[in-house]
Amino acid sequence: VLSRTPSDEKKREESLPRSASRVLHLGQIPSEATEADVISLGLPFGTVTNLLMLKGKNQALLEMASEEAAVTMVNYYATTRPYLYNRPVYIQYSNYRELKTDNLPNQARAQAALQAMNAMQSGNQATASTPVAEGGPLPNQGSVLRVIVENLFYPVTLDVLCQIFSKFGSVLKIITFTKNSMFQALIQYAHPMNAYYAKMALDGQSIYTACCTLRIDFSKLASLKVKYNNEKSRDFTRLDLPAGDSQQPLGPCIAPPAFGTPNVTFSSYGRPAEFAPGMGFAGSAVPGIPGAFGSLTVSTPGPMTPPGVFGVPGNSVLLVSNLNPEAITPYGLFILFGVYGDVHRVKIMFNKKENALIQMADAFQAQLAISYLNGLTLYGKVLHASLSKYQAVQLPHEGQQDQGLTKDYSNSPLHRFKKPGSKNFQNIFPPSATLHLSNIPPSVTVDDMKNLFASTGSTVKAFRFFQHNYKMALIQLGSVEEAVQALIALHNHDFGENHHLRISFTKSTI
């Protein structure tokens, strides 16, 4: 039984050096932290055998299965501060050699959490080759993981992978590529322990419900060599590397602090995102258990949020405001927002025509549209896009005055993404002054195309047919705003001969 209180520990803190002990003292624990949250800090390093929460003092005592596991944990967190609920937690050796809490009150929750989490952790580690759960050494494998994304229904970008895998430690380098028609990545951590724990927690999990499933193995490579920092490869230790052919602006991977940090919320696609405790994983039977989540949707702040990196709140209806009522039409909004998802309905407000509601096929596509189109200049006004409070766009009742401002496009043949796993998901780019054109008939010349786009008021700066495919071309216009307006006006333009022009934004330049 404990004969001293943790306050005694604090008084002795400066007077006595702390020798290694399998009992650890944790300080500055947020008041909302649960037993599972605290246990999750220890699980990467071994079995947690006991826990005493001292909520009134925002402290806890955590007992590991072995002193070796406790030493590994303290050494790791000495260089990588752990966080709970965005606040740092401080860890040091306790003066206790073991915890005996049998006769203490209010221990039922702690013991239940210990049993459940250790049981699940043992299940996760049953296939692992290194007995970390028993306080063993770090795994012999290296710090590079090979990741295959199966059932790629939605796009997975380098930034998405960075946000997911940086939950487990510092990601140094990422290389993405397609091999055997499978999207793959090589991810290098700063330490093999990070790679081991990421594999244990993420292997077999899906980024979105029932799709984009991660298959993870250790790579035979000891280190990755990255030549370019772009959307396909990144060396976070060398921000001076050139971008190669890429024109996209790149930033560092916003890596959250170490284990136990809910900066990044993992939740199921298509349901309300939960601010999960502990490791930030939602959908688990016991909160905060790494590896016990259903699917992963990543949430990151900031204006440079990449596509797909969102805690999807489940609403597929957008509120679009500050439109130019003299120029905008339901069809124009359908075409523009249709670049980022399948638009089912559009309603321009009858009494406030600078506002519109747009219903996308699902919440993921709604978030894609927001990420790319919010802040875009359209017909001389800066468009604002956000999620609406409405769950659906209602069609007008029979006889209701509407002036054609509400349109149903749910069965439109112009939907770009209605085919599951459509390649169009791999070709989503921000609005650009250069447009990608396809489905051009053989009889159409360069001058024909230039004149067509000039007729919309655009300044044509350059035009080029693809060298080996004259059905496709690139056209560079005077500005992004001109290109957006040209896309709205000319996408699906009828050339005759059963050829309708297809227009997309592109990362390419002429």
Side-chain angles (χ1 to χ4, degrees):
V1 178
L2 299 176
S3 58
R4 300 188 306 272
T5 67
S7 59
D8 296 327
E9 289 235 348
K10 198 165 186 178
K11 292 173 186 175
R12 293 165 58 90
E13 199 169 294
E14 296 180 3
S15 59
L16 290 176
R18 298 288 176 107
S19 60
S21 166
R22 69 190 183 102
V23 180
L24 302 175
H25 176 242
L26 285 67
Q28 297 194 16
I29 296 172
S31 56
E32 63 266 40
T34 67
E35 287 83 357
D37 296 335
V38 177
I39 294 168
S40 74
L41 295 175
L43 284 179
F45 308 95
T47 300
V48 179
T49 52
N50 210 347
L51 171 69
L52 177 62
M53 297 284 286
L54 301 144
K55 292 206 170 187
K57 300 179 182 295
N58 298 102
Q59 299 176 31
L61 294 173
L62 190 76
E63 182 186 81
M64 302 299 292
S66 68
E67 188 173 296
E68 290 79 12
V71 169
T72 301
M73 178 175 169
V74 169
N75 289 344
Y76 181 86
Y77 286 139
T79 57
T80 311
R81 178 72 63 194
Y83 281 65
L84 287 173
Y85 295 91
N86 295 317
R87 285 178 290 233
V89 174
Y90 295 89
I91 299 178
Q92 61 185 347
Y93 297 115
S94 167
N95 286 321
Y96 297 111
R97 311 310 297 177
E98 65 177 333
L99 280 182
K100 294 183 179 179
T101 59
D102 297 346
N103 298 324
L104 294 178
N106 304 319
Q107 275 297 98
R109 282 187 57 177
Q111 293 305 312
L114 279 167
Q115 291 177 16
M117 296 185 74
N118 280 320
M120 187 164 292
Q121 189 77 345
S122 297
N124 284 342
Q125 292 179 343
T127 57
S129 60
T130 304
V132 174
E134 301 306 319
L138 293 176
N140 295 324
Q141 293 94 341
S143 57
V144 179
L145 296 176
R146 182 173 69 97
V147 180
I148 297 175
V149 184
E150 295 181 346
N151 193 15
L152 193 69
F153 188 83
Y154 289 115
V156 175
T157 65
L158 183 148
D159 298 274
V160 169
L161 293 174
C162 180
Q163 293 297 317
I164 292 173
F165 281 84
S166 63
K167 281 294 289 183
F168 302 91
S170 297
V171 172
L172 302 185
K173 304 172 185 178
I174 301 180
I175 298 173
T176 65
F177 57 96
T178 299
K179 184 178 180 181
N180 299 327
S181 301
M182 300 288 286
F183 179 77
Q184 303 186 33
L186 293 169
I187 300 174
Q188 181 178 343
Y189 278 102
H191 197 283
M193 182 68 181
N194 305 133
Y196 171 82
Y197 198 64
K199 179 185 184 304
M200 186 181 69
L202 295 176
D203 187 27
Q205 303 299 332
S206 296
I207 299 176
Y208 305 107
T209 298
C211 67
C212 302
T213 303
L214 302 174
R215 302 298 179 194
I216 305 173
D217 287 305
F218 286 98
S219 170
K220 294 179 181 179
L221 298 172
S223 181
L224 300 179
K225 186 175 181 181
V226 177
K227 295 182 179 179
Y228 303 111
N229 280 340
N230 54 34
E231 70 275 9
K232 292 184 178 179
S233 62
R234 203 84 56 88
D235 185 339
F236 299 107
T237 68
R238 290 282 312 278
L239 297 181
D240 60 315
L241 290 179
D245 296 332
S246 173
Q247 303 296 318
Q248 288 188 297
L250 300 170
C253 177
I254 310 300
F259 307 108
T261 315
N263 290 18
V264 181
T265 301
F266 296 75
S267 65
S268 291
Y269 163 73
R271 342 177 281 196
E274 300 165 15
F275 193 71
M279 294 292 295
F281 301 132
S284 57
V286 180
I289 302 175
F293 42 89
S295 57
L296 318 162
T297 299
V298 191
S299 175
T300 59
M304 287 303 295
T305 305
V309 187
F310 293 95
V312 179
N315 189 2
S316 61
V317 178
L318 304 175
L319 171 63
V320 183
S321 58
N322 202 41
L323 297 167
N324 184 337
E326 303 300 320
I328 201 63
T329 64
Y331 180 78
L333 291 172
F334 164 69
I335 293 296
L336 176 58
F337 280 77
V339 174
Y340 301 106
D342 293 337
V343 176
H344 283 193
R345 291 179 179 178
V346 178
K347 177 189 283 289
I348 295 177
M349 302 302 192
F350 182 74
N351 293 321
K352 200 173 185 182
K353 292 184 173 62
E354 60 269 25
N355 292 347
L357 295 174
I358 300 176
Q359 183 175 335
M360 307 295 290
D362 58 41
F364 175 84
Q365 295 177 14
Q367 290 283 14
L368 274 183
I370 291 174
S371 68
Y372 283 117
L373 297 178
N374 184 44
L376 177 74
T377 300
L378 177 63
Y379 301 122
K381 302 193 73 172
V382 177
L383 174 156
H384 300 298
S386 61
L387 288 176
S388 167
K389 64 180 180 180
Y390 297 105
Q391 298 297 310
V393 172
Q394 300 297 324
L395 295 176
H397 302 300
E398 189 175 345
Q400 184 179 351
Q401 191 178 14
D402 181 67
Q403 295 182 352
L405 297 178
T406 304
K407 296 291 184 181
D408 187 339
Y409 297 105
S410 56
N411 296 314
S412 172
L414 297 184
H415 286 165
R416 298 176 188 246
F417 308 102
K418 59 185 175 183
K419 183 180 177 182
S422 168
K423 289 185 178 179
N424 289 333
F425 272 120
Q426 306 305 314
N427 294 295
I428 294 176
F429 301 105
S432 52
T434 301
L435 297 173
H436 179 276
L437 314 177
S438 61
N439 208 32
I440 303 170
S443 59
V444 172
T445 67
V446 172
D447 286 340
D448 290 336
M449 294 302 297
K450 287 183 175 180
N451 291 335
L452 177 64
F453 278 82
S455 69
T456 68
S458 300
T459 301
V460 178
K461 290 195 167 183
F463 180 91
R464 175 171 63 83
F465 277 112
F466 279 47
Q467 187 172 357
H468 300 294
N469 188 349
Y470 281 88
K471 292 182 180 179
M472 296 194 292
L474 296 176
I475 188 166
Q476 183 182 348
L477 303 182
S479 65
V480 172
E481 185 178 6
E482 282 188 12
V484 170
Q485 292 172 197
L487 182 146
I488 291 173
L490 295 177
H491 180 68
N492 200 44
H493 173 78
D494 188 358
F495 286 114
E497 307 171 27
N498 201 28
H499 284 84
H500 290 80
L501 181 63
R502 298 288 179 256
I503 306 178
S504 302
F505 298 119
T506 180
K507 63 180 180 181
S508 302
T509 56
I510 301 176

